Amino acid sequence: MVCAYCGKEAKGTKEHIVSSAILDLFPECYITFDETRNRIHESDPMVKDVCAECNNKRISYIDSYAKDFIARYFIQTYSENDEVEIEYDYVMIQKMLLKYAYNDMRSHKEDCSFFDEEIKQFLMNSNDTFPKTNITILCGIVVNVSPIPDAMFGNLKLRWGKNPFFYSNSTIRNVNYETGQITLNDDIEKQSFPDLEISYVFRFNSVQFLLLCWDKKSNKIGQNRTVLQYQYPYYLMNENETKAVLPICTDELNYHRFDHIHVRWDGLFEVGLMRKYANGGNYEYKELYERAWKEEEKKIKDEHPR
Ligand SMILES: [Zn+2]
């Protein structure tokens, strides 16, 4: 086997697609739902084409950072009223998401030519702290603002997928505030981004990341970043900042359908608020259900130690 990182002939070792250390934080999520292969299994998602040297020495520093970062801010769940301020290392976040996307694409035997020598060296070299200008990352806080409890769709705290759907406009055309009637936008289009080569969405419990990889030679990156920054309810991570207060990026629909990236002005945000106020300001039964589910989760954690 040729190692996916160093290119040397070697025996393949198992490499987790998303770091095992992150999976360890959520032992209750012990089932893998592999939608692309239409399979459900109890083992971790992995690839087996990395040599022991790269796996254990050269790229493992990325997982250490990722675990600390996720554990520090995103094990807990948040409500609409929480202010979530994070401190981050932009280069390490770039490396973390690039590594996971690369692992995932190899596991699906996709064309990985984007991950050329330059990107691989960037990942393998812990001393390379120069951010890649053709990689854009946004992030936001995930809050279940819907009336539906989490567990109804399964224990889906860790999710990732290629090609999220970026909306070009609101999913709702009109809200009648007198009657509460909602008219959907039926000719909504997908936002296109020139020179986009790869896009991914990652959810780690209470945070969601969007990764966009552009053609290195593109002169449209600045324009694309501006669209992303103003069109979506996410924080655009960048090399000049180390701290940020993260916005909530979910509405009552895409909390559950995580790969639908709605625009910042989507009417669903308001519809969710209207629904909640009409309900007296809280979802009593959802809260009851979720408290009971937390107890259930403790049992699942004990039954499935990692
Ligand atoms: Zn190697």
Side-chain angles (χ1 to χ4, degrees), residues 76-234:
Q76 65 266 53
T77 50
Y78 295 107
S79 80
E80 296 99 310
N81 308 318
D82 290 323
E83 188 177 278
V84 184
E85 188 181 17
I86 61 159
E87 248 187 274
Y88 69 96
D89 178 328
Y90 184 54
V91 171
M92 288 308 298
I93 303 282
Q94 280 196 333
K95 291 186 181 196
M96 162 178 119
L97 300 182
L98 279 171
K99 182 183 173 190
Y100 297 162
Y102 183 36
N103 286 346
D104 187 63
M105 285 174 66
R106 291 197 323 279
S107 84
H108 292 109
K109 307 219 170 355
E110 288 189 40
D111 172 12
C112 291
S113 50
F114 179 84
F115 297 88
D116 58 6
E117 219 30 58
E118 186 192 333
I119 296 276
K120 287 186 207 171
Q121 287 302 329
F122 177 59
L123 296 178
M124 284 194 286
N125 184 356
S126 59
N127 298 322
D128 186 346
T129 55
F130 203 72
K132 293 282 166 231
T133 51
N134 64 323
I135 306 295
T136 295
I137 294 166
L138 297 99
C139 86
I141 291 296
V142 166
V143 176
N144 185 3
V145 291
S146 83
I148 305 165
D150 267 289
M152 281 186 74
F153 294 111
N155 211 6
L156 305 174
K157 294 179 183 177
L158 304 173
R159 312 177 74 176
W160 58 89
K162 204 166 178 248
N163 302 325
F165 190 101
F166 286 90
Y167 285 73
S168 63
N169 204 346
S170 173
T171 53
I172 286 171
R173 184 181 299 283
N174 183 256
V175 178
N176 184 326
Y177 293 102
E178 295 291 316
T179 62
Q181 191 188 23
I182 294 159
T183 315
L184 295 176
N185 207 349
D186 46 19
D187 57 355
I188 193 152
E189 283 177 10
K190 186 176 180 170
Q191 179 68 44
S192 67
F193 295 100
D195 300 331
L196 178 64
E197 300 217 340
I198 298 170
S199 60
Y200 259 89
V201 53
F202 295 89
R203 179 177 291 184
F204 304 118
N205 194 42
S206 53
V207 68
Q208 190 147 311
F209 289 100
L210 304 173
L211 167 73
L212 297 102
C213 306
W214 316 105
D215 179 349
K216 253 192 274 189
K217 296 186 284 296
S218 173
N219 59 5
K220 300 272 171 39
I221 298 174
Q223 169 195 319
N224 286 333
R225 285 174 67 90
T226 304
V227 173
L228 286 161
Q229 183 175 11
Y230 292 105
Q231 193 149 308
Y232 301 98
Y234 283 78

Side-chain angles (χ1 to χ4, degrees), residues 1-8 10 49-55 58 124:
M1 173 224 74
V2 173
C3 172
Y5 283 88
C6 66
K8 288 185 188 137
D49 60 355
V50 182
C51 77
E53 170 79 11
C54 286
N55 202 348
R58 303 188 72 175
M124 284 194 286

Side-chain angles (χ1 to χ4, degrees), residues 283-296:
Y283 293 128
E284 191 187 339
Y285 293 106
K286 176 186 154 198
E287 284 162 19
L288 279 172
Y289 185 110
E290 287 190 331
R291 270 201 291 279
W293 175 248
K294 281 227 156 55
E295 291 304 310
E296 191 61 30

